[in-house]
Amino acid sequence: MHPCVFIIFSLLFLCFETTTANQLAAVGGGDDNGTVNKCFEKEKDALLHFKSLLQDPSDCLSTWTAEQDNCCEWSGVTCNNQTGGHVTELDLMDCGLVGEISHSLVNLTYLNYLNLDINSFHGTIPAIIGSLTQLRYLNLCFNNLNGTIPRSIGSLTQLRHLRLSYNSLYGTIPPEFGNLTNLQVLFLGDVGRCRVENLDWLSPLSHLEVLFMDGISLAKTNHWVDVILSLRKLLWLSLSGCELSQVMYPYSSSFLNSSYSSSIEYLSLRNNSLTSSMYRWLFPLTSNKLFHLDLSSNMLDGISKYLGNLCSLETLFFDNNPAVVTFPDFLNNLSGCTSLSLQRLYASGSQFTGSLPDDIQKFTSLTGLSLSENQLKGTISKKLWELPNLTYLELSENSLQGFPSSDYMSNLPDIEYIDLSSCKLGPRFPKWIQKLKNLTIFDISNTGISDTIPLEFWDSWPSRLSFLNLSSNNISGKVLDLSSNFDSNSRIDLSSNSFDGPITNVSSTVELLNLSRNKFSGGISFLCEVVHGFLVILDLSHNFLSGQIPDCLWHLKELKVLNLEHNNLSGRLPASVGSMIKLEALDLYMNDFSEEFPLSVKNCTSLKSLNLGANKFSGNLPVWIGENLSGLYVLILRSNNFSGSIPLQLCQLASLQILDLSVNHFHGTIPSCLSNLTIMVQQGFSQAQNLDPNNPLIIYSYNVDHVMIQWQGTEREFIRSNMKLLRSIDLSSNNLTGEIPYQITNLDQLIALNLSKNALLGKIPLNISQMKNLLTLDLSRNKFSGEIPSTMSQMTLLSYLDVSCNNLSGRIPSSTQLQSFDHSRYEGNLGLCGLPLTKKCPGDEESGIQHIIGESEGEGIDEPDVWFYIGGAIGFTVGFWIACGALLLNRRGRYAFFMFLDSFEDWVYVKVVVFIANLQKDEHR
């Protein structure tokens, strides 16, 4: 070798060796003692900038500080020797972080794993994310990201996993996704309002094994079935809610001759409005590899016979298909080798008719069967009870009968879940229940039982039951023991029966206890036995319980709902009530409690609903109600002996939507600051009233969160589900004086205002018409004077008005629904005149004012108006019967419609009242 060449190579080697040694020293990678990696300053700064844009309420990033020099030791950060100590992984899953994704991440050039799942990141996905070309895993699921998906993601050609689900994105899925040829898992389900107009970009993803696109519109993606079949490694496919029924050509003309064999094992096509014509393209997507098939929430009128030959199918969902299907025919079409493999059949909320036939015996592997909310009737085949592996059975909301004897039920030794609610099980209490020794969940509510429970029933399942529901029957007798049968966090509902006697021996592990609407008597000292603090919901309302609340509530740390209304309880509330720091609803309505406002409630700062009505509480209202109970949305103190003035601090309750201080002894003026009740000036549904909507226990609360208020002259019950629109103030039957503060009229979302039976004076505010959503206004039995403001003609929703027994004068404003109210609503005002009163106003006879009110009587109607009314009537009739016909023929729609009616019963009632008032107004025009 030439000497010059040798020297040059020697110098290069020495330079390389020195540089490498310096880098290893910097990151600790070359230390024989195994010192940890030390991150580069550039990457540390990038991470600190990333943190600076975020809120971190959980202190997940508490170790991320400039003082902590080595970012490789920060929580969620991983460095790797193979990259020279660079940051390679950032895992911040479920940290509760709030803010935007910083562009500084672009400086983490060696990053191959980024997981920001389950946080509250908002803003857009930064386009610079495409610069992180080493990424193999990217998870942005369960955030609040919006905007479009950046096309730059197509540059991440090393990606194996991409998860963007559960955000608020919109726009078209970028076709650049087709560049991600190494992708194995793609989660795009429920990303927001996204669509795909062409699925060709999927074809190059030959390594794809999992594809979730739920909620993305595929309405314009012709030949999508061909594309899916080209993905030879695809195992899991979910296309729920993708508008597949709108696709004109789901497959190509060459599709039927295709030799492709599907590899799909998991397939979900739920909520696509598919009809049975889909079975012709479903066939090639199914094979004997398929173990899970979801066809729920479609328009299917049966099951295709070829699905009965899927020899690996274990789970079939067929819920909420509204077409009428006979259940024996349905089973017959599944009676091939599928009958031997099928383990779980869920078909609730459909239109199955017929009975449970003997063919059920063919499904020997069946472990779970759900047929609730169908139209099954007749006798249940005894073969059902011979299925050897059955552990889950749900037949509720049917008309089935003919349950077998106790001896027969011993054939189901392993069954754990039985729901027979609303079946025809009574009138005798089924003794065969005691044979099922492994029961954990048992529901026979509303089954027509009118009998006593055998004493041995309560000893049948020691420490196993987690849910027992016997409600809405007529079961009588005593409940001897609720302590030994129940598992941890158990739920017991014995409401709406005829149980009597004292309540004793309640399990310390119970989470929900509903004994309401029975005949229980005696005290409630059993609460002192519930010592482990699992109790979340306790409803003892509508019984004959008496005595005082025992002062032993210190351990009920988890209690959120306490309902003791309609009993005979008395005395004062114990101090230990204040220990229930998670209490959200306290209802003591209609008892005999006394003493001053309970000071112990001051510590219950989580309260949202407080109802102390119809008792004998007395004294002044403490100012701490507004200061400590800031989350209140319901405050009901009606029918007590409270006195003093209304404290100004109540105005701090910004979420208050129901305020009822009626039938007390309050005096002084109405606080003008009530206009600060901001929920009464905000449009839309109130959110404050939800009692922890994420808590699954709420579905078992059976409306323990409710109120009784005076509504248009009568007492009416509003339950939690239909209180969203209710905003009411009732200060009636007190000793209030002074004028109505004009600031009150700023509460433009208030729908009920009752100031009757006070000593208020002055004029009705001229700007009262600002309260445009007011449905009920009661100002009767006061000392108001002057005229009824003419601006009240603009209050078009007003359906109940009472201004009787005041000193009002002048003409009742005309051309409004004010004439439609009964004359008694205006009587007791000597100076009032005009309709609907019989007293005429001065000059009425001379000026013919009566004809002005009904001026259309003597006028003809123009021909265009005639055709307008005729057309409107015809349109209304046709539209009405189209809607009704759809409800009659479409069970799913009918079910959803009536569920809606149930949820908003009172709201619908209010709207009907308004509609009738408007009709009456038109009659007087």
Side-chain angles (χ1 to χ4, degrees), residues 316-520:
L316 175 61
F317 283 90
F318 200 78
D319 301 292
N320 300 313
N321 278 283
V324 176
V325 179
T326 62
F327 188 62
D329 291 344
F330 183 87
L331 285 183
N332 184 57
N333 285 356
L334 288 176
S335 60
C337 62
T338 301
S339 63
L340 301 176
S341 63
L342 195 65
Q343 297 179 18
R344 293 167 291 275
L345 174 58
Y346 302 110
S348 62
S350 291
Q351 281 272 57
F352 283 137
T353 61
S355 61
L356 261 170
D358 289 348
D359 281 352
I360 196 70
Q361 67 183 326
K362 298 178 182 179
F363 296 80
T364 54
S365 298
L366 209 60
T367 61
L369 177 62
S370 176
L371 298 174
S372 62
E373 298 176 31
N374 279 280
Q375 297 187 27
L376 298 172
K377 59 181 60 176
T379 303
I380 300 175
S381 169
K382 291 184 178 181
K383 302 297 183 181
L384 173 67
W385 315 110
E386 296 177 359
L387 294 176
N389 300 305
L390 196 64
T391 61
Y392 180 105
L393 179 61
E394 188 174 16
L395 302 178
S396 60
E397 305 292 336
N398 283 287
S399 299
L400 294 166
Q401 57 187 347
F403 293 90
S405 64
S406 298
D407 293 337
Y408 230 96
M409 295 305 285
S410 60
N411 294 326
L412 292 174
D414 298 322
I415 197 160
E416 299 176 359
Y417 183 117
I418 290 185
D419 184 354
L420 303 177
S421 60
S422 299
C423 288
K424 297 180 179 179
L425 192 58
R428 296 299 181 188
F429 191 86
K431 295 183 179 180
W432 47 261
I433 296 171
Q434 297 162 233
K435 297 282 187 177
L436 310 179
K437 298 298 183 181
N438 289 308
L439 273 182
T440 59
I441 295 178
F442 183 52
D443 189 342
I444 54 171
S445 60
N446 191 32
T447 52
I449 298 175
S450 182
D451 196 5
T452 58
I453 293 184
L455 295 180
E456 59 271 19
F457 170 85
W458 304 109
D459 300 320
S460 299
W461 310 277
S463 302
R464 289 197 60 87
L465 280 182
S466 61
F467 181 74
L468 173 65
N469 190 350
L470 307 180
S471 66
S472 301
N473 284 290
N474 189 27
I475 303 173
S476 58
K478 292 177 171 52
V479 179
L480 297 182
D481 193 351
L482 293 176
S483 62
S484 61
N485 302 326
F486 298 96
D487 199 0
S488 298
N489 304 110
S490 52
R491 305 161 192 172
I492 306 171
D493 187 357
L494 307 182
S495 63
S496 300
N497 279 289
S498 297
F499 290 112
D500 59 14
I503 302 172
T504 58
N505 300 327
V506 174
S507 171
S508 290
T509 63
V510 69
E511 188 174 21
L512 178 148
L513 181 61
N514 189 350
L515 305 181
S516 64
R517 300 182 187 277
N518 279 284
K519 300 176 181 178
F520 289 111

Side-chain angles (χ1 to χ4, degrees), residues 89 155 203 207 226 302 352 459 538 644 663 783:
E89 296 186 10
S155 302
S203 297
H207 295 285
D226 301 58
F352 283 137
D459 300 320
L538 175 62
V663 197
K783 299 178 181 180

